[in-house]
Structures are given as structure tokens and as C-alpha cells.
């Protein structure tokens, strides 16, 4: 018996001339948790589709459990014990828990008649694989995401899975649910299952994986044990670039210490936070960090006039101001890049150009019509200025990758010429390469005299990007961490 | 509140049944004629055709999306078959087989474009409907014709006649109700106890999940539209035979009230949800409103206002239910966090 349960050799796949996979090798040992990493569009999902048989490869072989396949079909793949848990869980929201648990078994038994009593038996056995306790008659649409995932996993296990593919399983889960999932994964590993774990999150990979394969632009660029892979190497393999200057903050060249602070909060209170005081100099990047519910989002919203302050003062460039609406905030040179850029910050089906210029429509209005040439010129400048990767800025925003979408949101607010830029969770769901681009961009902007406030719970991000950070806990500002003290360890201690 | 009651309260069927009972009592109090045996038989007779059409609506909405072609498929086919019967002396069962074949063919056309090219089912069936309408009127002139001899026996098939003791009014129960009952029993068995039936719901719930689970989504959808064509034709023949004549014009626009009825009965326009009981109750409620408002002396025009109101209320209940379950799942998620 070979040491490897899965051994893909030289797998190629192209779509209309575009090579999605070029000679990809992927080997997973028996009984290990193997991580598959790579940026969006690197071919992760294409190789998974080949292994699960949904989209057979053009050339190359897949060896599974000792048998070599030129191509797999979904039914062969399932029969051999390959099970995929998709990111969207693949459950049927309109059916009961019982049907969701049993339907795959019934289908693979090729039964024509649907026997409810037998189905209930199956459903109970499926639940037993994970020791679940769900009400079989509940509709799945009424369950939380974590339960849906457990249903999907239990279903896969009952189908005699030997090899489990988890496609970004932690995206929609809370930290506690992730821990429960990892317990289950370790448990399955102990039982001899092999697991392919697809993820974006580095800390999770170190936590759960034994080995890792990194893909980039349709090719395998690294494969080896997880423990010996350093974070720098990981980033290098993921992006094909080096970001040695990422930690180089150039703080001294940027921060204008001798002028008035761009913004100063004095004992500011609002809904969800109280007693916050700090100031930000032009050119400085200051973090606001704390866990979910610590009040950081509420603070951002209050500074931008979405919510009203209940006490304390805000001073902008030496002048005390009242911010009770978004207009007030914009007039005082404050801009906010919201937390959920997809729902709050962008019109996805509308062009990049219109998205960038939407906040400045006044500027482009001539009588009753818009001055389109001026609008297009302005947008073209921004696209160049902040390196939005697109062939044509008249294309809809949804054609861009997550990182580039984020840049469009940035451009939109920068076009209002703000003095203070607030970003809430600026790199949530953004690829690592695009993340560093955004860091570099923010430093660039700061250098030009912009004061930047970054609200984030990503501690690595805060320690890398910010010159100083404000720590919040349960709605109260508990202190500031700066310079050499600003490390992930210190931050972890501070926010708990 | 225990879970069973909660589930009951979460269902459209429960509200529709409650509305039916309340309305029946009101009409009874005002007119004194509602719970008369002849009125009940009249009502049952009135829902036959719409209840058969409702099956088409249910299958289409649960698995794919709107089907608005069934009344015109029914109208055109019935008309063709009556014409054929006039000029030939074919026996009834041959004519029915021909009718089913034409219905199935129309369904194939619907299914082909919906499955193969992923066109929206509303657009496809709207086109089919227009084509059938055009054929019935353009090529075949579409004037009213009487039931041909081959269908005369069925047309006159009354199961029983009842007479109200109070008013002396009589009502006849047409044999077509047996066809309707048979279709519902068949539909129940298929939807509830076969893999194909469960697949219809699974596809409506999440198409991609269904494909991943190994359900042959395209085959099932195609089949649904073919079956819909045949069910529509059965409904159309029953309608013409009960009226003792056929005029394609009378079929035109018949989908509105049917779709209204099934949405009222809990069929969700977004797919995956809907029951046979809901279809029957929804159809019954709408028929009852239009039949019984006459009993309390409301003019025909005002009846439309009532029907409109009932539809709005019914659709709102569906929408609120859907939202509520979404909210519940979100809150559960928060609790878990």
C-alpha cells in the first residue's frame, strides 16, 4: 500500500486557452491533514473539481488509494470515498434535517422509492457519526451556519469517506465554532481519515495542518511539511513577491509631529463605547483594535456621523467640531471605508468609474447633467494612482478581485480629498498580495499628510501597519500601545 | 409554545384553512346558504379545473420557476382535439391519447429551452403560451364549438345530484372530480414517496447542491415541464366537457388566478416550497370567495377587489414567514457565538 492516498501527477486543465492548471502535483499522505493554499484564482477549486470528478482534467493522472485514473466522474469519486464539504455546505434549506442527512445515501443506493421510516433510521445513524443532537424535523434554513456544516460533514462521513476535502470551512464560523470544527478534524485524523484543508488563514493552517501545498497561477510552487515553513516563505510562495519592506514603517519620515493633530478626541462617548481620548497627527497611522463588541466599529461610525456622539469633543485641525451627520464628517475632511465593502461601500454591477466618482457628483454636475468626460478623466487618474488592476475602468466593479475592489472604495473616498481616513477592517477577505499593496498604499497616502485610522481585529495587521494603536475592550478605551511594544503578543494580552 | 404548534403556525396552509373557516361562518351568518349541500357541491365542482392547473403551477414553481403556459396549452389542445373529433370518428381514448401527446410536446418545447439554454421559465412559457394562443385563433379560427360525440358521455357524467331542503335548489357533481382526486393522489405518491418527487423539492431548494448530490437536475426539470403539459391538457379537456363546449378565449389568462391560489397556499416564488394541501386550500379559498360573495349579494366587480386583497395578504404571510425563518437562523447563529 502506497504511503499516499491521493497522488495527482501533472494535472492540466484549460478553459478556452487559459491554463487554469499546469502540471499540478498534489500528494496527500494517509491519515494527515494537508493544507491547500493559494490566492484567489490560483486553481485551488479547479483541482478540487478534478478530484471530485465534476470537471475532469485535460491531461495528467489522479491516483487514489492505489488506483490510477485518467479522469474521475462524480459517482466514481464518491464510490471511492472522496467527499467534498463545500464552502456553501451544499445543504437543502427547504428540506428537513432528516432529509438533508439521508438524501445522499438514498441517492447513492439508487433507490427509486423514498421510504420515510428507513430514511429516519439513516438520518439517526448519520448523526451518530459525529454525535450530533439535532431535531430531525426542523427545516435546515432555520439552523445556524455551524449546524449546517456539521450536517454536511456528518453526511460525508456516513458515506464512508476515506478522503475529506474541506473547502474554506471556517469562513462563516465564529472562533468557538472553528475550535469545535478543529476538534472534529483531529478526531477524524485519529480515526485514519485523510483531510485536504483549503484555507486562506495562515494561523489556522499552522494550527491544524501537517503539511501544505501552495499553488500559484495554476502551478504547484511549494509542497512540504507545515511546521518548517516560515511565514515569509509562505507569503513569498503565495504571491511570488517579497514583502521585506512590509514591516518597515518609515514612521519618522511620515509623521508631522510639529503641527496640530489632524483629529483629537477628548473623552468621546457614544452608543457602544465611552471615554475615548486620543489624537492622530497628519501622516500617522493609528490602529483601533479590540474584539468583536469592543466598540471599535461603533467608534468609527460615530466619527463619520452615522451614529451620534453622546458626550465628549472632537477637534479637527485645532477646531472643535460637531459631527452629527455624514455631511458634517465629509465637510471636516473625514472619510470612512466601511467594514463590509461589498454591501456598504460599492455598487457592484456599476462601473468602476461611476463608483469612484459617486461621492463627488456635485463636482461633475453641469446644470442638470453630469460632465462625463471630466468624470472619466478623474476616475482614470485614480485607477492609475492606486494601481487598480483592470483593463477598462468602465467595467463593473464586480469584475475585480477582492483587493482591487477595496482599492476602488479607497479611491472613492480619497477623491473627496480627506484629511482623516478611517478604515474599518480594511483587508477582510483580501488576498495576501493585495493586502500588502493596500498597506503600501496607505503608507504612501500618510506620507502625503493624511491621518489614517485603522479599526481591525487582525492583530498581525495592526502590528505591521500601524505606528501606534488604541486598545478597546467592552466599549472602553483601555490604553495605547506604540513603537517596540506593538507586537502581536502584547496586543493579544491587551484585548483579552 | 412547543415545537409542533410553532411549526403549524409557521405554515401558510394553517392560515388559509383558518381564513376559509372564518369566511364560511361569516357567509353563513349573512346569507344562511353557505352550508347548504347544493352550495358545497357547486363549490367542489368549481375548483376541479383550477385545482388540476394548480398541480402544474406547483411542480413548476417548486422545481424551476413560473409556468404560465398551461391554460393556453390546454385551450389549444382541447380545441384541436374537438376539431379532429368532428371530422373523424376516432374513439375517445385515441383522442385523449392524442391530446396528451400534444400537451407533452408543448411541455418538451418548454423544457428544452429552459434546461438546455437556461432561459428563465417565465419567458419561455410566456412565449409558448403566445404561440398556442396564435395557433388556436389564427390557424384554427377559435370559434366556439360544441362537445363532439366522442366526449358526450363524459360531458354528461354526473356522479350524483343533491337538492337543498331549504331552498329547493339542486346541484350536480361532475365525474371530473374523480379525475382531479386521482391526479392529486398520484401527485402525492410521487412527491412524497419517490426519489423523483423529493428531487423536485431538492432542486428547488438548492440547484447546485442537488447536482453535487448526484440528482439529475436537467432530466427532472425537463420531465416536470412535459408532465405539466399533460396535466394541463387533462384540465383543459375536463373544463370543455363540463362546459359542454370549447372556446379557446375562455382559457386565456387562466394562469393568474391559479398562481394567486397556490401562492396563497404557501408555494414560494423562489422555489423549493409548496404542498398539495396548500394548492387545494388556496384554490378552494379563491373559488369560495368568488362563488360565495354572490350569495351575500356582492357585485362581480367588487369580488375582484376581495380576491386582490386576499392575494396580497396571502403573499405577505409567505414573505413574512420566509423572513422570520431567516431571522431565526441568524439569531441562533448569534447564540452559538
Amino acid at each position: 500500500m502506497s504511503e499516499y492516498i491521493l497522488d495527482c501527477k501533472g494535472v492540466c486543465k484549460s478553459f478556452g486557452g487559459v491554463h487554469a492548471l499546469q502540471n499540478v502535483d498534489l500528494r496527500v499522505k494517509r491519515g494527515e491533514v494537508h493544507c491547500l493554499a493559494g490566492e484567489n484564482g490560483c486553481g485551488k477549486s479547479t483541482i478540487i473539481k478534478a478530484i471530485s470528478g465534476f470537471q475532469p482534467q485535460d491531461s495528467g493522472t489522479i491516483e487514489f488509494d492505489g488506483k490510477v485514473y485518467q479522469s474521475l466522474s462524480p459517482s466514481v469519486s464518491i464510490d471511492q470515498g472522496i467527499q467534498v464539504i463545500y464552502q456553501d455546505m451544499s445543504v437543502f434549506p427547504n428540506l428537513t434535517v432528516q432529509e438533508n442527512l439521508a438524501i445522499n445515501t438514498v441517492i447513492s443506493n439508487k433507490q427509486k422509492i423514498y421510504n420515510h421510516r428507513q430514511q429516519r433510521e439513516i438520518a439517526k445513524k448519520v448523526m451518530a457519526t459525529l454525535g450530533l443532537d439535532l431535531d430531525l424535523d426542523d427545516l435546515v434554513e432555520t439552523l445556524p451556519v455551524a449546524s449546517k456544516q456539521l450536517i454536511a460533514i456528518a453526511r460525508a462521513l456516513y458515506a464512508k469517506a476515506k478522503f475529506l476535502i474541506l473547502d474554506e470551512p471556517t469562513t462563516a464560523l465564529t472562533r468557538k465554532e472553528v475550535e469545535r470544527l478543529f476538534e472534529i478534524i483531529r478526531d477524524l485524523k485519529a480515526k485514519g481519515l485523510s483531510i485536504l484543508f483549503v484555507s486562506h488563514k495562515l494561523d489556522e493552517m499552522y494550527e491544524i495542518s501537517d503539511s501544505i501545498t501552495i499553488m500559484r497561477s495554476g502551478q504547484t510552487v511549494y509542497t512540504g511539511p507545515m511546521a518548517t515553513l516560515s511565514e515569509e516563505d509562505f507569503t513569498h510562495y503565495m504571491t511570488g513577491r517579497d514583502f521585506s519592506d512590509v514591516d518597515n514603517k518609515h514612521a519618522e519620515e511620515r509623521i508631522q509631529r510639529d503641527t496640530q493633530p489632524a483629529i483629537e478626541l477628548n473623552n468621546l462617548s457614544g452608543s457602544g463605547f465611552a471615554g475615548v481620548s486620543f489624537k492622530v497627527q497628519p501622516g500617522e497611522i493609528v490602529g483601533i483594535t479590540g474584539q468583536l463588541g469592543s466598540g471599535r466599529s461603533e467608534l468609527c461610525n460615530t466619527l463619520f456621523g452615522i451614529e451620534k456622539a453622546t458626550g465628549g469633543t472632537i477637534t479637527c485641525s485645532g477646531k472643535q467640531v460637531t459631527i452629527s451627520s455624514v455631511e458634517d464628517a465629509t465637510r471636516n475632511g473625514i472619510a470612512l471605508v466601511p467594514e463590509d465593502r461589498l454591501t456598504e461601500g460599492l455598487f457592484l454591477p456599476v462601473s468602476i468609474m461611476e463608483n469612484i466618482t459617486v461621492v463627488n457628483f456635485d463636482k461633475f454636475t453641469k446644470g442638470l447633467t453630469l460632465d462625463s468626460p471630466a468624470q472619466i478623466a478623474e476616475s482614470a487618474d485614480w485607477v492609475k494612482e492606486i494601481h487598480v488592476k483592470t483593463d477598462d475602468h468602465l467595467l463593473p466593479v464586480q469584475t475585480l478581485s477582492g483587493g482591487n475592489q477595496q482599492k476602488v472604495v479607497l479611491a472613492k473616498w480619497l477623491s473627496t480629498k480627506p484629511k482623516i481616513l478611517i478604515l474599518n477592517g480594511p483587508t477582510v477577505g483580501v488576498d495576501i498580495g493585495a493586502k500588502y499593496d493596500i498597506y503600501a498604499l496607505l503608507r504612501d497616502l500618510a506620507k502625503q499628510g493624511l491621518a489614517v485610522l485603522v479599526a481591525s481585529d487582525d492583530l498581525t495587521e495592526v502590528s505591521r501597519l500601524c505606528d501606534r494603536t488604541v486598545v478597546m475592550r467592552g466599549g472602553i478605551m483601555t490604553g495605547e500601545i506604540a513603537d517596540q511594544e506593538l507586537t502581536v503578543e502584547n496586543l493579544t494580552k491587551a484585548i483579552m | 409554545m412547543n415545537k409542533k404548534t410553532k411549526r403549524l403556525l409557521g405554515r401558510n396552509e394553517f392560515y388559509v384553512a383558518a381564513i376559509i373557516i372564518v369566511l364560511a361562518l361569516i357567509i353563513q351568518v349573512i346569507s344562511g346558504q353557505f352550508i347548504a349541500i347544493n352550495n358545497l357541491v357547486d363549490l367542489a365542482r368549481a375548483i376541479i379545473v383550477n385545482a388540476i392547473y394548480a398541480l402544474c403551477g406547483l411542480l413548476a414553481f417548486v422545481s424551476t420557476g413560473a409556468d404560465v403556459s398551461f391554460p393556453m396549452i390546454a385551450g389549444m389542445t382541447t380545441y384541436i382535439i374537438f376539431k379532429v373529433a368532428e371530422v373523424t370518428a376516432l374513439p375517445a381514448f385515441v383522442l385523449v391519447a392524442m391530446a396528451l401527446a400534444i400537451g407533452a410536446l408543448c411541455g418538451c418545447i418548454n423544457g428544452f429551452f429552459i434546461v438546455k439554454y437556461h432561459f428563465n421559465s417565465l419567458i419561455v412559457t410566456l412565449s409558448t403560451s403566445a404561440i398556442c394562443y396564435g395557433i388556436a385563433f389564427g390557424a384554427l379560427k377559435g370559434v366556439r364549438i360544441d362537445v363532439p360525440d366522442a366526449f358526450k358521455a363524459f360531458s354528461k357524467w354526473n356522479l350524483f345530484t343533491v337538492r337543498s331542503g331549504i331552498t329547493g335548489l339542486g346541484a350536480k357533481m361532475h365525474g371530473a372530480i374523480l379525475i382531479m382526486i386521482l391526479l392529486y393522489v398520484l401527485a402525492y405518491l410521487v412527491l412524497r414517496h419517490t426519489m423523483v418527487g423529493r428531487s423536485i423539492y431538492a432542486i428547488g431548494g438548492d440547484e447546485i447542491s442537488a447536482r453535487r448530490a448526484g440528482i439529475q437536475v436537467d432530466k427532472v426539470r425537463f420531465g416536470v415541464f412535459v408532465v405539466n403539459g399533460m396535466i394541463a391538457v387533462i384540465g383543459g379537456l375536463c373544463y370543455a366537457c363540463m362546459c359542454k363546449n370549447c372556446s379557446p378565449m375562455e382559457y386565456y389568462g387562466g394562469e393568474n388566478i391559479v398562481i394567486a391560489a397556490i401562492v396563497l397556499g404557501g408555494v414560494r416564488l423562489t422555489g423549493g416550497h409548496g404542498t398539495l394541501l396548500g394548492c387545494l386550500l388556496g384554490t378552494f379559498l379563491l373559488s369560495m370567495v368568488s362563488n360565495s360573495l354572490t350569495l351575500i349579494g356582492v357585485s362581480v366587480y367588487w369580488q375582484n377587489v376581495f380576491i386582490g386583497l386576499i392575494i396580497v395578504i396571502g403573499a405577505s404571510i409567505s414573505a413574512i414567514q420566509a423572513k422570520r425563518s431567516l431571522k431565526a437562523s441568524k439569531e441562533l447563529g448569534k447564540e452559538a457565538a
Side-chain angles (χ1 to χ4, degrees), chain A residues 90 94 99 112 114 138, chain B residues 3 193 195 198 201 212 272:
Chain A
S90 264
N94 59 330
E99 281 193 279
K112 296 270 181 268
Y114 212 57
D138 270 340
Chain B
K3 255 192 165 164
H193 295 290
M195 236 2 256
R198 297 322 293 165
Y201 281 92
R212 286 175 185 154

Side-chain angles (χ1 to χ4, degrees), chain B residues 35-317:
Chain B
I35 309 182
I37 182 89
N38 65 310
N39 189 48
L40 294 178
V41 169
D42 269 340
L43 254 178
R45 194 190 145 110
I47 70 162
I48 295 175
V49 175
N50 279 346
I52 293 176
Y53 286 161
L55 286 174
C56 301
L58 175 77
L59 291 175
F61 270 117
V62 168
S63 67
T64 315
D67 180 354
V68 295
S69 63
F70 51 86
M72 278 330 292
I73 291 178
M76 179 195 73
T77 312
T78 309
Y79 197 72
I80 292 173
I81 292 303
F82 277 20
K83 281 274 185 194
V84 171
E86 267 181 357
V87 295
T88 62
L90 292 168
F93 72 89
V94 177
L95 292 168
V96 172
M98 280 170 65
L100 289 175
I102 298 174
L105 181 71
C106 296
C108 284
I109 296 171
N110 279 338
F112 176 76
F113 285 103
I114 292 165
V115 168
K116 173 102 183 178
Y117 296 108
H118 299 283
F119 289 159
N120 183 304
S121 66
L122 177 67
I123 304 301
V124 174
T125 54
L126 208 54
S127 321
T128 315
S129 181
I131 291 167
C132 292
Y133 183 86
I135 292 173
F137 283 90
L140 305 166
K141 301 287 177 285
V143 287
R144 189 178 294 272
I145 46 173
D146 287 332
V147 168
D149 293 337
F151 290 111
K152 281 248 162 78
F154 176 69
S155 168
K156 288 179 186 155
W157 183 28
N158 283 316
L159 293 175
F160 51 83
T161 306
V162 293
R163 198 166 291 281
S164 158
I166 314 157
T167 57
L169 292 170
K172 290 172 181 165
M173 177 59 84
H174 197 271
I177 197 157
L178 294 181
I179 294 178
M180 181 201 99
I181 293 170
L182 180 72
L183 284 176
Y184 268 78
V185 170
L186 275 177
Y188 175 80
L189 291 175
V190 171
L191 289 179
R192 206 67 204 135
H193 295 290
T194 69
M195 236 2 256
V196 173
R198 297 322 293 165
S199 303
I200 289 174
Y201 281 92
I203 293 168
D206 193 322
E207 186 190 334
I208 295 169
S209 305
R211 284 186 201 278
R212 286 175 185 154
I215 293 172
Q216 297 188 300
V217 176
D218 292 347
K219 269 191 194 165
V220 173
R221 279 196 172 148
F222 187 78
V224 160
F225 280 92
V226 174
V227 168
N228 264 6
M230 299 204 280
I231 297 175
V233 166
I234 296 172
L237 285 174
C238 288
Y239 180 71
C241 289
M242 284 162 71
C243 298
K244 304 201 165 48
N245 59 55
C246 173
S247 161
M249 198 61 208
E250 286 178 5
Y251 291 85
Y252 183 72
E255 67 276 9
N256 288 337
I257 193 114
V258 174
I259 291 174
I262 61 175
V263 168
L264 204 54
V267 171
R268 275 193 215 159
L269 302 181
T270 43
H273 290 267
T275 61
L276 292 167
L277 180 66
C279 286
L280 272 180
L281 287 173
T283 313
F284 187 82
L285 178 57
L286 284 194
S287 295
M288 177 176 143
V289 171
S290 51
N291 275 27
S292 306
L293 284 175
T294 320
L295 289 182
I296 51 173
V298 176
S299 94
V300 178
Y301 303 108
W302 279 105
Q303 288 180 17
N304 285 326
V305 175
F306 279 90
I307 292 177
L309 281 177
I310 289 178
I311 294 167
V312 169
I313 294 167
S316 323
I317 294 175

Side-chain angles (χ1 to χ4, degrees), chain A residues 96 100 152 162 288 302 310 313 315 329 359 424 438 449 467:
Chain A
T96 58
N100 268 286
K162 288 183 212 157
I288 304 172
T302 307
T310 54
T313 59
T315 312
V359 282
N424 195 358
I438 288 173
D467 305 316

